[in-house]
């Protein structure tokens, strides 16, 4: 228990800008990079991650009140009262780490993920992104709450983790190539799961000729000049978000101050973000070169380090799609049959949520938005289906439910259809349904390992076709 408390304290107090650079430094030394270069690589990663964290932290309080205003406006004009309130991934992580299941998986997850990498079950080194383990903890905690079985809840978390690693393996090269971070990928299931749906729906989108739609930041810039610059796009998008969030305040100086602040802040994120992330890519240059030599003597193993999703938040196509989807998902929430979830806090997390889509579609924003609308709408229904149970778990963990909210959820974490299906299988306690989820994973894993290079080539071919449409 002391060890678990230490691990929890480490995660609480040492965020990605500390943990990831330490991992990078150790890996660099393993690959025989000189200590001076290894330290500089780690420091560049630390500076970049801290800069990203500071930017996102400063941007969030500017845009969150506007999103809340949009939601309030929709309630007023439609009269629809949605009784499941989205408290965001931050609150959900606190609930997860406060449960006994979460405490157990702190240690178990690190051991499992490290062993799976060392025995080459996966090519992704997940322990460099320890924080996002709370995504599995939430589902397992709900299983334990209903069934009273710790083994069943832990088994649910392990299987969700295995699914996550499989999807991460599948998308790692595509994510790394698109975002231009050598040997890096994201691992959190709540942000890579949509990438699978993107692969499945791509042929349908091509039939609808969306592969011919030239809509990405570069083509916009080529067509309309300075108005297509990322900074200008950010200003325009921020202006739109600001206007939508201040419909009731357009006659006041305060309202226009909020509108213009949102416009300038969004422009700043678009303009500054690529410069900060350049340090992060630069940090991997010595490691990548040394790794090529090292792996050449060790069977040329393909490997990727799990990094925090924040490193891609401000990429132009990612942030643009995320901003456009914020008001779209608020609108959909009020008219989606069967939905009771009001997305609020996690709308700011949509740029994280579309990273898998953006990578698979190589920045084709038309495809990203259409796919996201479909998948996130299903996600709203999953949030609605699990809200009552999650609310009970949160109350049991000591979380204070916001005033006026009947139930709570997290649009980003619990709005995941595939993980949700695994969860519901475990919730039944029925060995047949649970066994089915295990069998599906085993078959998918074997098929992937037998065809990994073909799948990677297929994804790169998809990306090339989307790039061709954008040229």
């Amino acid at each position: 228990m002391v060890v678990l408390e230490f691990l929890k304290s480490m995660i609480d107090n040492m965020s990605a800008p500390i943990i990831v650079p330490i991992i990078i430094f150790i890996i660099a030394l393993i690959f025989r990079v000189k200590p001076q270069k290894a330290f500089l690589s780690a420091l560049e990663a630390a500076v970049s991650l801290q800069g990203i964290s500071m930017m996102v932290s400063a941007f969030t309080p500017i845009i969150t009140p506007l999103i809340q205003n949009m939601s309030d406006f929709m309630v007023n004009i439609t009269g629809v009262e949605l009784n499941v309130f989205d408290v965001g991934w931050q609150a959900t992580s606190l609930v997860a780490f406060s449960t006994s299941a979460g405490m157990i998986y702190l240690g178990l997850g690190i051991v499992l993920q490290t062993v799976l990498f060392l025995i080459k079950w996966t090519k992704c080194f997940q322990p460099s992104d320890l924080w996002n383990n709370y995504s599995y903890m939430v589902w397992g905690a709900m299983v334990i709450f209903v069934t009273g079985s710790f083994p069943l809840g832990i088994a649910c978390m392990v299987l969700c983790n295995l699914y996550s690693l499989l999807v991460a393996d599948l998308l790692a090269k595509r994510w790394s190539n698109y975002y231009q971070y050598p040997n890096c990928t994201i691992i959190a299931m709540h942000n890579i799961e949509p990438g699978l749906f993107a692969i499945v729906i791509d042929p349908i989108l091509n039939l609808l000729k969306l592969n011919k739609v030239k809509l990405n930041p570069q083509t916009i810039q080529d067509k309309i000049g300075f108005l297509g610059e990322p900074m200008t796009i950010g200003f325009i998008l921020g202006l739109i978000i600001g206007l939508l969030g201040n419909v009731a305040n357009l006659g006041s100086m305060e309202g226009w101050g909020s509108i213009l602040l949102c416009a300038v802040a969004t422009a700043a994120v678009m303009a500054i973000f690529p410069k900060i992330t350049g340090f992060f890519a630069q940090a991997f240059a010595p490691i990548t070169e040394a790794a090529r030599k090292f792996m050449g003597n060790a069977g040329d193993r393909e490997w990727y380090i799990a990094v925090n999703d924040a490193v891609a938040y401000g990429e132009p196509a990612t942030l643009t799609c995320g901003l456009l989807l914020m008001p779209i998902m608020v609108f959909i929430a009020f008219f989606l049959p069967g939905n009771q979830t009001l997305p609020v806090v996690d709308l700011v997390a949509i740029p994280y949520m579309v990273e898998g889509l953006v990578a698979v579609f190589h920045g084709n924003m038309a495809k990203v938005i259409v796919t996201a609308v479909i998948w996130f709408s299903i996600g709203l229904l999953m949030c609605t289906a699990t809200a009552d149970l999650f609310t009970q778990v949160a109350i049991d963990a000591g979380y204070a439910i916001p005033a006026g909210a009947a139930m709570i959820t997290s649009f980003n974490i619990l709005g995941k259809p595939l993980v949700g299906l695994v969860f519901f299988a475990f919730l039944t306690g029925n060995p047949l349904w649970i066994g089915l989820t295990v069998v599906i994973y085993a078959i998918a894993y074997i098929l992937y390992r037998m065809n990994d290079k073909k799948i990677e080539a297929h994804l790169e071919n998809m990306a090339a076709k989307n790039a061709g449409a954008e040229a």
Side-chain angles (χ1 to χ4, degrees):
M1 195 64 183
V2 174
V3 174
L4 295 178
E5 289 287 355
F6 171 77
L7 289 172
K8 184 177 186 300
S9 177
M10 182 184 73
I11 291 174
D12 288 343
N13 294 284
M14 294 187 182
S15 54
I18 298 173
I19 293 177
V20 173
I22 291 173
I23 298 293
I24 288 174
F25 180 73
I26 294 171
I27 290 175
L29 293 180
I30 291 173
F31 287 153
R32 299 171 188 169
V33 175
K34 291 182 179 179
Q36 302 95 313
K37 281 190 175 182
F39 175 77
L40 286 174
S41 291
L43 187 58
E44 285 172 338
V47 168
S48 177
L49 288 169
Q50 184 59 33
I52 291 167
S53 177
M54 291 169 70
M55 285 205 68
V56 175
S57 297
F59 184 56
T60 299
I62 293 172
I63 202 165
T64 299
L66 300 175
I67 292 169
Q68 180 66 65
N69 290 345
M70 284 184 220
S71 301
D72 293 342
F73 178 73
M74 288 298 295
V75 170
N76 291 333
I77 65 171
T78 64
V80 175
E81 291 284 351
L82 300 175
N83 59 14
V84 179
F85 185 80
D86 165 30
V87 294
W89 61 265
Q90 301 94 328
T92 304
S93 68
L94 292 177
V95 171
F97 283 118
S98 298
T99 63
S100 53
M103 288 295 291
I104 291 172
Y105 206 72
L106 274 175
L108 178 61
I110 293 173
V111 173
L112 173 69
Q113 294 152 12
T114 303
V115 169
L116 290 176
F117 179 76
L118 292 176
I119 65 173
K120 300 184 180 181
W121 186 272
T122 175
K123 58 189 176 187
C124 296
F125 184 70
Q126 187 170 358
S128 51
D129 190 26
L130 291 174
W131 170 256
N132 277 314
N133 277 338
Y134 73 86
S135 182
Y136 319 121
M137 297 172 187
V138 170
W139 299 102
M142 291 193 290
V143 170
I144 293 170
F145 187 86
V146 172
T147 66
S149 171
F150 264 84
L152 200 60
I154 297 300
C156 178
M157 287 187 273
V158 170
L159 188 59
C160 286
N161 199 158
L162 290 173
Y163 270 106
S164 173
L165 280 167
L166 179 57
V167 178
D169 276 0
L170 192 151
L171 296 179
K173 183 175 181 179
R174 179 83 292 272
W175 191 95
S176 179
N177 286 348
Y178 179 78
Y179 287 102
Q180 297 181 29
Y181 294 131
N183 296 100
C184 293
T185 190
I186 56 172
I187 196 75
M189 189 64 171
H190 48 271
N191 291 331
I192 58 172
E193 186 190 273
L196 279 180
F197 184 58
I199 297 170
V200 173
I201 201 174
D202 186 68
I204 298 173
L205 299 180
N206 289 341
L207 289 175
L208 297 174
K209 306 299 182 182
L210 287 184
N211 59 317
K212 303 295 183 182
V213 177
K214 300 179 180 180
L215 185 63
N216 81 352
Q218 184 58 52
T219 53
I220 293 172
Q221 183 177 341
D222 292 342
K223 287 182 179 295
I224 59 178
F226 85 97
L227 290 175
E229 291 278 353
M231 184 168 60
T232 311
I233 291 174
F235 182 84
I236 294 170
L237 289 173
L239 197 65
I240 293 170
I241 296 289
L243 287 167
L244 292 173
N246 281 283
V247 173
N249 301 314
L250 295 179
S252 70
M253 188 67 72
E254 180 184 1
W256 281 100
S258 173
I259 292 168
L260 293 173
L261 177 61
C262 182
V264 172
T266 310
V269 173
M270 284 283 212
I272 299 172
F273 211 95
K275 293 178 173 60
I276 297 176
T277 55
F279 282 105
F280 193 76
Q282 188 175 311
F284 280 85
I287 298 175
T288 302
E289 182 58 34
R292 286 196 184 100
K293 297 177 182 177
F294 185 90
M295 292 298 183
N297 299 323
D300 196 27
R301 180 185 180 183
E302 188 179 7
W303 58 276
Y304 294 88
I305 297 175
V307 294
N308 192 274
D309 316 77
V311 298
Y313 188 94
E315 188 273 330
T318 304
L319 186 56
T320 300
C321 290
L323 290 169
L324 289 171
L325 284 163
M326 289 176 194
I328 291 173
M329 293 314 301
V330 170
F331 179 83
I332 287 174
F334 284 90
F335 299 99
L336 181 65
N339 176 57
Q340 285 296 314
T341 299
L342 177 63
V344 181
V345 180
D346 269 345
L347 287 177
V348 183
I350 290 182
Y352 299 131
M353 297 162 66
V354 298
E355 286 182 29
L357 301 178
V358 174
V360 170
F361 293 137
H362 201 75
N364 183 320
M365 295 193 296
K367 285 187 174 183
V368 172
I369 292 171
V370 170
T371 305
V373 164
I374 298 170
W375 196 245
F376 295 165
S377 295
I378 301 172
L380 286 174
L381 298 177
M382 182 59 71
C383 286
T384 300
T386 57
D388 182 52
L389 180 52
F390 177 70
T391 303
Q392 294 180 57
V393 171
I395 293 172
D396 189 60
Y399 181 80
I401 305 301
M407 292 178 283
I408 61 171
T409 189
S410 167
F411 178 44
N412 185 14
I413 307 304
L414 297 173
K416 293 295 165 281
L418 293 182
V419 178
L421 291 176
V422 174
F423 160 73
F424 279 121
F426 275 84
L427 201 63
T428 66
N430 187 320
L432 181 63
W433 289 114
I434 295 170
L436 181 62
T437 62
V438 175
V439 170
I440 290 172
Y441 167 76
I443 293 173
Y445 180 80
I446 292 170
L447 289 175
Y448 171 71
R449 290 301 295 261
M450 291 175 61
N451 300 281
D452 58 338
K453 296 305 177 185
K454 292 180 181 177
I455 293 171
E456 286 182 357
H458 174 68
L459 291 179
E460 293 305 306
N461 185 47
M462 279 177 54
K465 288 180 179 178
N466 281 308
E470 296 159 2

